[in-house]
Every structure is written in structure tokens, then in C-alpha cells.
Amino acid sequence: MDSVHSDLKVAIVVADIAIVLIVGSLLIMLFRRIKQPPVIGEITAGIVLGPSLLGLLPGDVTGFLFPAELRPHLSMISQVGLLLFMFLVGWEFNGQLLKRRSGSVATVSLSAIGLAFVLGIGAAALLYNRHDVVDGEKISFGYFAAFLGIAMSITAFPVLARLLTETGLARTRVGALSLAAAALDDVMAWTLLAFIVVIFGAGGDGTSTLVTVLGLFLLYVALMVFAVRPLLRRLVARLIRGGTASPFLVPLIAAGAFLSAYATSWIGVHAVFGAFAFGLVMPREPRALLATSLHVPLESVTRLLLPIFFIVTGLNVNIGALGWTGLGELAIIMAAAIVGKLVAAGLAARASGMNWQESYAVGLLMNTRGLTELVILNIGLSLGVLDGEMFTMMVLMALLTTAMAVPLLPRGLPRAPGSLFDIPSVTVPSGAATRRTPAQGDATDATTGQEVPSGKS
């Protein structure tokens, strides 16, 4: 009986994954018709299959399709895709983006993250009294406010890169400045969040534990930079000798990302930081060979597993439970999020020499949050910083701020075919990779600040 019951559990989980993939694919195709990025369809699929929509039907359809006792299994599977995704995000970070027009990049990024963080703290001050208790535990205002500030500050670097390519802005100065500022923004936000997680995770155990965790984290960073990075360079060189990648390249690099995630989790920092850090120190040369032999296979895996992350998120989102008070709070969150990014980044872009139309576009693009925001929100949920209503409102904010980018972009912006992440002579199977490993020449050319005439790359 136990074996039959175990087999049934496996069958249900597999069927759940199939449902998520089908619904996600259908909604991605639907939202593509209105020029929305795939992440909008994926997030919506999670919400549709959760209590917000499917759960409204009689008979608890959501509970039947996704039994509570099996949701932890779905969550564990989703973490594999999430960690690989975070590795790719770190790997795709291109320092070349920050080398040209560094003054403008720093101004836009610091302005956006600074005002968004301050407004997030302001929103926290207004909302704290209704969300200060999570699962019976009172959350300090400092942690709540700091977390909301960071959540408001993030820009979804991978989603933004995809949007810029699809709108023809990737090789214009609007696209180059937006992407470079988003890259710097995300690195600062993730670093700040790591320290917040360390402080929050150890705060209840006394100062000595906090110092220990912080010390271990700094030691981990030092080891990644001065030990793991050169070792990875040697390993990758050995695995791609003769212009051909070893079949062990993908499993060994994936294993490294997972072990790095385990290390940060053991230290007391969330596992996603380990995967992200491993991507940052991962060699990027030779680009074309690593793109076909490593990036594309890992991207294909994330395309299969990340939709499970969206349903895990969607099962915790309940729009119907918000009520009128919740909608009013959502309006406060939306106002803080939009003003913090759009206004701050837009004014900073204007100060750097762009015209008002271009400056508005930069602010609008910096306001996209997407999947990166959901990762942060799930960290907050797992840490007990966010209650169910707050989590729901923040997910909706991530969805709406990302969805508004393309429809509100000025039509008169200069466009140029091509992508910051194009790799010559690489054919990607249909449906496999939607992001690209940066090409060295592209990144340097795109960040010169010079517009590329339409029709030329």
C-alpha cells in the first residue's frame, strides 16, 4: 500500500507539472499577442491556477489539483530551476556594460535604487500596523521596512534584456543606459538583501551569532573571488580543449552552482545568493562555445522547471482576500514603486543629457521587476517577513509594473535591430533560450552612448 501510495504521489506531482506547463504555454502565447514578455504569462498562470481564480470554483479545484501535502515536493523541484536561473543571471552579468558612460550609469542606478528604497520604507510605515504579525510572530519594523525598501528597489535585469531586444531598443543609448543601470542596481540590491537576510536570520540568536554569520559570509565571498574563480577558469579550460566541450561540462558546472547554493544556505544566507555568486565568478570565454554547450542546455532546463516556481508562488497569492482595504494598500505600494523608479531614473537620465522622451523611457524600463522580484518576495515569505496579504500585493505590483513597460513606451524612440546578447553563429532551438550570453563586442558598442541608425547593427 505504501508503494502504491508513493507511486500515486509521484503521478500527481508529474501531472501537476504537466498542467502548469500547458497553462503557462497557452498564456505566454496569449500575452505575446499584446506584446507582453513571457514572464507575464508565466506569473499569470501561477495566479490563475491558485486560489485567486481557480480556487473560486466550487469543490476546491485548486486543492484537488495541487494537494497541500504535495506542494512541498513541487517547491523542491522548483528550487532546482530557480537556482539554475540565478546562476545564469549571475553569469550573464556583463561588467563591460558599466565601463562606458559610467557616470550616467551610476547616476541613474543610484537615483532609482535610492528613491525607491526610501519610498519603500515610507510605504512600510503606512502599512506596518496591519502586517506586523506573521504566523503569530511579531516582525520588527526595521526588518519589515528594510525588506520592502529592497523589494521596491529591484529591476529585473533578465526581463529587461528581453524587452529591449523585442522592442528594438537594445542597441540604442536608451537601451544601453537602462540595461547597465539595471545591472548595477541588481548587484547592489542583491548585496544589500544578503546582509539583511544575514541580520534577520541571526538577529534572534544574539550579537555573537550575527557576527559569526556575517564573518562566514564575507569569508565565502573572498573564497569565491580568490579561490573558486581561478579554479573555475582552469576547469573550464580543461573541459573545452580542442574547441569541443566535454559532456561533463554541464553537470559539473550545475553541481558547482548547487554546492555554492548549499554553502550560502548553511551559512545562514538564502541559497539563491550562492547560485548567483557562482554565476558571477564563472568564466565567460570562449563565449560562442560556452553559449552552445552550457548556456543553451541550462536555459532549456530552466524553461521546464521555472513554471513550477510560478505555481508555487501563485498558490500563495489570493487576490480575493484583499478587500477594499487591501486594494487601497496596493495603490500605496504601486505609487511608491512607480515613483521610486520611473521618476528617479527618468530625472537622472535627463540630467545625463537625454531628452525628455528618452528619459521617460529609461525610467519606465527601470520600473520592470518580473521574476527577480518574485524571487525576493518568496525569500521574504520564507523568512516570515511578509504575511499572505502583503505577499499578494507585492506580487501584483511586480506583475503590473512589468506589464506596463511595453504599452507605455514612446513610439517615437529610435529603434535598431539586434540584441546586446547576440552571439554569432549560434542557432538556438525553438522554445529553448530566450536570453543570450553577452557578446563582448556587442556590449562595448552598445554602451558607447551613440545611437545606432535604424536598420543597422
Side-chain angles (χ1 to χ4, degrees):
M1 291 297 292
D2 288 340
S3 62
V4 173
H5 189 257
S6 177
D7 289 343
L8 181 59
K9 284 183 177 181
V10 172
I12 294 173
V13 170
V14 171
D16 285 344
I17 294 174
I19 293 171
V20 171
L21 293 175
I22 292 171
V23 174
S25 298
L26 291 175
L27 288 177
I28 287 173
M29 289 188 287
L30 175 63
F31 279 102
R32 278 193 182 279
R33 293 180 176 272
I34 55 175
K35 301 189 182 304
Q36 289 294 336
V39 70
I40 297 297
E42 292 168 333
I43 296 174
T44 305
I47 295 175
V48 165
L49 292 172
S52 296
L53 185 60
L54 198 62
L56 299 178
L57 299 177
D60 188 19
V61 180
T62 296
F64 174 76
L65 292 177
F66 305 98
E69 63 271 20
L70 297 185
R71 293 179 187 181
H73 299 289
L74 289 172
S75 181
M76 285 187 285
I77 296 172
S78 74
Q79 291 302 306
V80 176
L82 181 60
L83 292 177
L84 291 177
F85 170 79
M86 290 305 300
F87 164 76
L88 290 175
V89 171
W91 191 26
E92 290 173 355
F93 175 76
N94 190 353
Q96 291 291 331
L97 292 172
L98 308 180
K99 291 184 178 180
R100 300 290 184 94
R101 295 175 58 89
S102 57
S104 298
V105 170
T107 300
V108 171
S109 182
L110 291 173
S111 299
I113 197 172
L115 183 57
F117 189 84
V118 170
L119 291 180
I121 292 176
L126 296 175
L127 304 175
Y128 176 68
N129 288 336
R130 290 195 69 247
H131 305 280
D132 59 339
V133 177
V134 180
D135 296 331
E137 297 288 334
K138 189 172 180 64
I139 305 300
S140 73
F141 175 73
Y143 293 132
F144 181 76
F147 195 88
L148 242 61
I150 294 171
M152 296 290 187
S153 303
I154 204 73
T155 296
F157 179 84
V159 174
L160 180 58
R162 183 185 297 172
L163 287 179
L164 291 173
T165 300
E166 293 177 352
T167 56
L169 293 172
R171 298 179 67 86
T172 67
R173 65 174 184 171
V174 167
L177 179 59
S178 300
L179 196 66
L184 182 59
D185 184 313
D186 275 13
V187 169
M188 290 190 295
W190 281 111
T191 302
L192 184 57
L193 181 61
F195 282 101
I196 294 298
V197 169
V198 168
I199 294 171
F200 182 80
D205 298 325
T207 305
S208 60
T209 302
L210 173 59
V211 172
T212 300
V213 173
L214 188 57
L216 287 173
F217 180 66
L218 293 176
L219 176 62
Y220 162 82
V221 172
L223 287 174
M224 292 298 289
V225 174
F226 298 109
V228 175
R229 187 173 187 174
L231 288 174
L232 266 177
R233 191 179 296 115
R234 293 178 184 177
L235 175 64
V236 171
R238 183 179 295 272
L239 292 174
I240 58 173
R241 282 180 176 176
T244 303
S246 165
F248 300 109
L249 177 65
V250 173
L252 287 177
I253 296 303
F258 294 147
L259 288 174
S260 181
Y262 168 78
T264 53
S265 182
W266 179 82
I267 289 171
V269 186
H270 199 280
V272 298
F273 296 107
F276 178 72
F278 195 78
L280 286 176
V281 300
M282 174 69 189
R284 292 160 175 80
E285 299 290 348
R287 293 177 185 272
L289 179 58
L290 288 177
T292 54
S293 59
L294 182 62
H295 187 278
V296 170
L298 291 182
E299 180 75 22
S300 298
V301 174
T302 63
R303 294 287 293 170
L304 280 174
L305 298 181
L306 269 183
I308 308 170
F309 173 76
F310 291 109
I311 184 58
V312 171
T313 300
L315 291 172
N316 291 308
V317 173
N318 190 352
I319 300 174
L322 292 181
W324 289 108
T325 302
L327 292 178
E329 293 181 336
L330 176 60
I332 294 173
I333 291 171
M334 288 293 299
I338 293 172
V339 172
K341 283 291 188 178
L342 195 154
V343 173
L347 291 177
R350 175 61 178 166
S352 71
M354 288 187 168
N355 61 42
W356 282 112
Q357 185 183 62
E358 292 173 324
S359 301
Y360 164 71
V362 169
L364 193 62
L365 291 168
M366 289 290 290
N367 194 41
T368 58
R369 289 176 173 84
L371 173 57
T372 310
E373 179 77 9
L374 296 192
V375 176
I376 290 179
L377 296 180
N378 276 277
I379 292 174
L381 190 67
S382 65
L383 289 175
V385 182
L386 303 178
D387 62 15
E389 285 190 24
M390 197 70 208
F391 181 80
T392 295
M393 292 185 289
M394 294 297 288
V395 169
L396 291 176
M397 180 272 289
L399 179 66
L400 295 173
T401 55
T402 305
M404 66 187 284
V406 174
L408 298 182
L409 276 174
R411 294 186 177 181
L413 287 173
R415 313 277 171 151
S419 166
L420 287 171
F421 302 112
D422 284 336
I423 298 177
S425 305
V426 175
T427 302
V428 180
S430 176
T434 52
R435 299 193 309 277
R436 299 289 183 266
T437 307
Q440 185 79 22
D442 291 341
T444 303
D445 294 342
T447 52
T448 59
Q450 300 299 319
E451 293 180 9
V452 180
S454 179
K456 297 180 181 180
S457 57

